[in-house]
Amino acid sequence: MSWWNESAWFAFLAGAALKGTAVLALAWLVTFLLRKRSAAERHLVWTAAAVAILVLPALSIALPGLRVPVPARFFTGSAPALFQTTVVAGDARGEPAAAARAQSPASVRPAARRFDWRLALILLWVAGSAVAFARMFLAYAAVCRARRSARPFFDRGLCGDLSRALGIARKVLVFEAGAGSMPMSFGILRSAIFMPCEAAEWSEERLRIVLLHELAHVRRGDVPAHWIASAVLALYWWNPLAWKAWRELAKERERAADDLVLNFSWRNFGERASDYAGHLLAVARAMPPTPAIGWAAVAMARRSQLESRLTAILDSRITRAEPGRAWGLAAAIAAIAIAGPLAAIRAQDSAQVVPADVNAAIRAAQSQQNYDILEDAASAAERQRKYDTAKQLLEPAVALRAESKGSQSFEYGMGLLKLGDLESKRNQNKSAEDFYSRAAQILGDRPEAARALIYLGKTAIQRKDYSEAVDYLQRAQNDNAEQAGVALMWMAVARSSEGNDTEADALFQTALARQEPNSPGAVTTLEVYARFLRKQGSDEKAKELEARATDTQKAIAVTPAFGANVYKIGPGVSAPAPLTKIEPQYSEDARAARLSGAVLLSLEVGADGLAHNIQVVRGLGLGLDEKAVEAVQQWTFKPGMKDGEPVPVRASIEVNFRLL
């Protein structure tokens, strides 16, 4: 099914869990700071937090992403198993090295079926939420059924008078429920109150107080707030903070309603807090709430909250003021201010998801006029080396750039640059050259044009048009100081190729001076310069540069990261063994620059006998790193074994590139 992508759903739910927990924690902190303020103010904070949590998923989909890099794995270590392969090629362009003889992979044992914990967590979350929402629906159906069958309350005039006195403009219906029923309020657009049939025998004072309490819930909008909190609890049933929020919201709701009744009764009837507490206690003892419909209606009292409510009612020091409109506006602004940035945050790692339905992603991006959606997905596809998929996503993204920003805009030029990069990775050199030429023309002398100009310079070198190559590279050097070292190195290659060794030597030295000493670009320049010096007969100086390159490679080497379920070679864990090896090809850039050296890869040899999570630990540049990864992806192994079963094992492969 095109809508199902396990990685996407897991990432979405994980993000929702973290963001929801952050909102709940913040709400708890704010209500703690407001502990000396009124219950109504604290209830407003919890309600705003619940609303923010409910809108977070929708905002996460609608808002453009604010990328936050997070590590994809937290367990690091070295790769003890070392395999080597050597690629030998001539200086002249020719056929790539032939693949090593493939052995039959028949001896590879099939991978044992492994527990999919991510899918299990998704299903557990969904199952729990489905049960909770089903409970809400059944409670709602039960209250609706009771409402249809209930008789009108005997004293509806009193309810109307009290409603007007409280400032409730809409009509509130009052129904008579069965004997022993707890008074409760229900409904949003058509508010209703259920009163027990015993109310006909109550004193006028108790009847008025109970009706006032339920009308207080109607005036404050407590029923919709109750439903919102119920929905949050149904979605986050596994989160202790959600249960904490549910209990706190219910407690503050009842205290806020009590405060409203106390203020009104004292001003209009002179009733004391002790009178109200007595009536509340009597109702709570005589009429237990009905748990089955508690998810859909707001009951007057719960025995679990009764002691704390009575204490609050009788405490004259407690603030009972109602929050004004300014408080409501502040709560709404705070909810938006928190939910917006949180929703925009995306966790970005190497496992970023490629859309299962490319056409659906394109339609979504076009409807929102948001090319970032497609470009992010294209980047994820490129990392997984799904270059055809990446192009399907990137082409409409670039078209959106032109449509929204203009065909001569900087944004469109950058889109063309991205297409050029992709076509270069796909080895579509003619197409890449076309995109880079158009990008360079639009970007002009901006620093961003340097990448296109350098590619065009390299292409001219391969055509042996060295004068044109130097022109492109000189422009790149002038436009972008950060790319000047790379441009100068290629200018040196161009001068060397046309036989101007003196100028080439000077350009190599200038290139090294313009580059960061401990950088991948410096490693590449050192290796290319060393090759040039050997060709000139300066072996001692070449050895010195090669030693510097090796030391720099070690200094900037990446520490490989492995999953916690990937084993080291050692007691009880056997090493994997290669079965089928595909030798890498030499890249055209490396061949043109006469670059040689070793690339060290770290990887996981899976229980399926295939290479996973390939990482470049020490690279050379000029496309050789990518060529090494592309080849090793096609290797097959006899997997490592533990207790007679195939298991994922750490390994490393050294790929040596040599030019004759």
Side-chain angles (χ1 to χ4, degrees):
M1 292 180 289
S2 61
W3 58 270
W4 177 253
N5 186 308
E6 182 182 319
S7 297
W9 278 105
F10 183 80
F12 179 79
L13 291 176
L18 291 173
K19 296 169 186 177
T21 301
V23 172
L24 290 172
L26 181 61
W28 179 86
L29 177 61
V30 172
T31 53
F32 176 77
L33 296 175
L34 296 176
R35 61 189 182 278
K36 294 185 178 180
R37 303 285 296 182
S38 70
E41 292 172 354
R42 294 191 295 273
H43 179 265
L44 189 58
V45 172
W46 284 116
T47 303
V51 171
I53 290 173
L54 285 186
V55 301
L56 271 174
L59 290 178
S60 296
I61 297 172
L63 292 178
L66 173 63
R67 298 294 172 183
V68 177
V70 295
R73 289 178 172 84
F74 301 96
F75 186 84
T76 61
S78 59
L82 178 66
F83 307 110
Q84 290 185 323
T85 187
T86 301
V87 182
V88 180
D91 278 336
R93 295 176 63 181
E95 293 299 320
R101 182 179 179 181
Q103 302 179 26
S104 171
S107 59
V108 179
R109 293 184 61 177
R113 187 174 182 83
R114 297 166 62 189
F115 177 70
D116 190 341
W117 61 271
R118 294 194 305 178
L119 179 60
L121 287 178
I122 293 173
L123 294 177
L124 181 62
W125 186 337
V126 171
S129 294
V131 170
F133 277 113
R135 186 176 179 181
M136 287 178 60
F137 175 78
L138 292 175
Y140 178 81
V143 176
C144 288
R145 186 168 58 251
R147 180 172 177 167
R148 286 194 300 269
S149 61
R151 293 181 301 177
F153 189 60
F154 72 93
D155 193 351
R156 287 175 288 177
L158 177 61
C159 179
D161 293 340
L162 293 175
S163 295
R164 287 187 291 273
L166 286 173
I168 300 174
R170 62 185 182 278
K171 183 178 181 181
V172 180
L173 303 175
V174 188
F175 297 97
E176 184 178 296
S181 298
M182 175 66 70
M184 65 184 74
S185 54
F186 172 74
I188 298 177
L189 299 178
R190 298 177 61 196
S191 299
I193 295 173
F194 290 102
M195 296 287 285
C197 60
E198 293 93 334
E201 302 173 1
W202 287 352
S203 66
E204 181 183 349
E205 182 180 87
R206 177 172 299 178
L207 181 61
R208 182 177 64 250
I209 283 176
V210 172
L211 278 173
L212 276 174
H213 183 91
E214 297 308 315
L215 288 170
H217 285 311
V218 174
R219 173 181 163 177
R220 287 173 31 79
D222 285 339
V223 174
H226 176 74
W227 285 8
I228 291 171
S230 300
V232 170
L233 186 62
L235 288 172
Y236 290 84
W237 58 268
W238 49 267
N239 192 332
L241 276 177
W243 287 95
K244 168 74 173 176
W246 165 265
R247 288 190 293 267
E248 290 297 314
L249 187 142
K251 179 184 73 174
E252 303 297 358
R253 176 188 68 219
E254 295 305 322
R255 288 187 179 181
D258 291 340
D259 292 344
L260 193 154
V261 175
L262 286 169
N263 290 335
F264 182 85
S265 296
W266 173 256
R267 289 195 308 266
N268 293 275
F269 304 102
E271 292 170 350
R272 297 172 298 176
S274 57
D275 298 332
Y276 179 68
H279 290 302
L280 176 63
L281 181 61
V283 171
R285 284 178 173 176
M287 300 165 186
T290 307
I293 61 176
W295 284 64
V298 176
M300 180 177 179
R302 297 174 184 269
R303 290 183 178 178
S304 60
Q305 302 172 350
L306 193 57
E307 183 178 353
S308 62
R309 283 180 64 187
L310 291 174
T311 302
I313 290 170
L314 297 173
D315 190 347
S316 60
R317 297 169 299 176
I318 289 180
T319 303
R320 306 189 190 279
E322 287 187 78
R325 292 183 179 180
W327 256 96
L329 180 61
I333 293 174
I336 295 171
I338 293 169
L342 270 179
I345 291 175
R346 308 286 194 274
Q348 179 176 337
D349 58 23
S350 60
Q352 194 174 12
V353 176
V354 179
D357 189 335
V358 172
N359 291 328
I362 293 171
R363 289 194 296 271
Q366 290 173 339
S367 65
Q368 300 178 39
Q369 288 291 296
N370 187 348
Y371 50 78
D372 286 333
I373 295 174
L374 297 177
E375 291 184 352
D376 289 344
S379 297
E382 285 187 48
R383 283 193 291 273
Q384 299 176 27
R385 291 174 177 80
K386 298 178 179 179
Y387 295 132
D388 291 340
T389 301
K391 187 176 182 182
Q392 285 181 280
L393 293 161
L394 200 53
E395 285 182 331
V398 175
L400 277 175
R401 281 176 176 262
E403 182 180 339
S404 60
K405 303 296 184 180
S407 59
Q408 296 299 315
S409 65
F410 168 78
E411 288 79 6
Y412 181 56
M414 292 302 296
L416 293 173
L417 202 60
K418 290 175 182 286
L419 273 175
D421 294 341
L422 177 60
E423 291 298 87
S424 177
K425 292 177 181 177
R426 296 176 70 234
N427 296 316
Q428 301 297 317
N429 298 329
K430 290 292 185 183
S431 179
E433 186 175 0
D434 175 62
F435 285 125
Y436 280 129
S437 296
R438 292 162 59 191
Q441 183 178 3
I442 291 174
L443 296 174
D445 57 359
R446 292 174 180 265
E448 292 80 5
R451 193 160 81 243
L453 294 169
I454 289 172
Y455 182 91
L456 295 172
K458 293 186 295 184
T459 303
I461 291 174
Q462 293 171 13
R463 293 198 306 265
K464 299 184 179 181
D465 190 343
Y466 304 118
S467 177
E468 183 181 40
V470 171
D471 288 342
Y472 280 126
L473 297 167
Q474 185 66 57
R475 284 177 57 193
Q477 176 199 352
N478 295 335
D479 292 347
N480 191 327
E482 293 182 0
Q483 295 292 316
V486 177
L488 286 164
M489 185 205 75
W490 281 108
M491 288 171 66
V493 171
R495 292 308 188 198
S496 172
S497 298
E498 67 181 359
N500 192 341
D501 294 339
T502 301
E503 186 176 351
D505 189 276
L507 287 167
F508 275 124
Q509 294 184 40
T510 307
L512 286 174
R514 298 289 296 273
Q515 290 176 310
E516 289 292 332
N518 288 334
S519 66
V523 172
T524 302
T525 302
L526 286 167
E527 293 285 3
V528 174
Y529 190 16
R531 177 81 179 185
F532 167 79
L533 291 173
R534 285 194 180 279
K535 190 175 179 181
Q536 304 305 310
S538 303
D539 291 342
E540 289 300 321
K541 191 174 180 180
K543 285 182 181 179
E544 179 186 339
L545 294 179
E546 288 168 350
R548 283 175 57 189
T550 301
D551 291 342
T552 304
Q553 274 188 318
K554 292 178 180 178
I556 64 176
V558 176
T559 301
F562 297 97
N565 60 338
V566 180
Y567 293 88
K568 290 182 179 181
I569 307 301
V573 180
S574 64
L579 294 176
T580 302
K581 293 172 62 177
I582 303 298
E583 297 297 342
Q585 299 178 11
Y586 237 90
S587 68
E588 293 301 326
D589 284 357
R591 194 189 299 271
R594 304 179 182 88
L595 175 63
S596 61
V599 174
L600 181 62
L601 303 177
S602 170
L603 66 149
E604 299 169 8
V605 177
D608 54 3
L610 301 177
H612 302 278
N613 189 26
I614 303 175
Q615 304 167 68
V616 178
V617 178
R618 293 201 306 269
L620 282 172
L622 300 190
L624 294 182
D625 302 349
E626 290 78 7
K627 292 295 184 183
V629 172
E630 288 174 6
V632 171
Q633 279 184 317
Q634 303 175 64
W635 287 26
T636 61
F637 299 81
K638 179 182 178 181
M641 307 293 287
K642 183 179 186 296
D643 299 328
E645 294 293 330
V647 293
V649 173
R650 311 179 198 181
S652 63
I653 297 176
E654 186 178 84
V655 182
N656 294 287
F657 290 91
R658 294 288 180 264
L659 280 171
L660 298 176

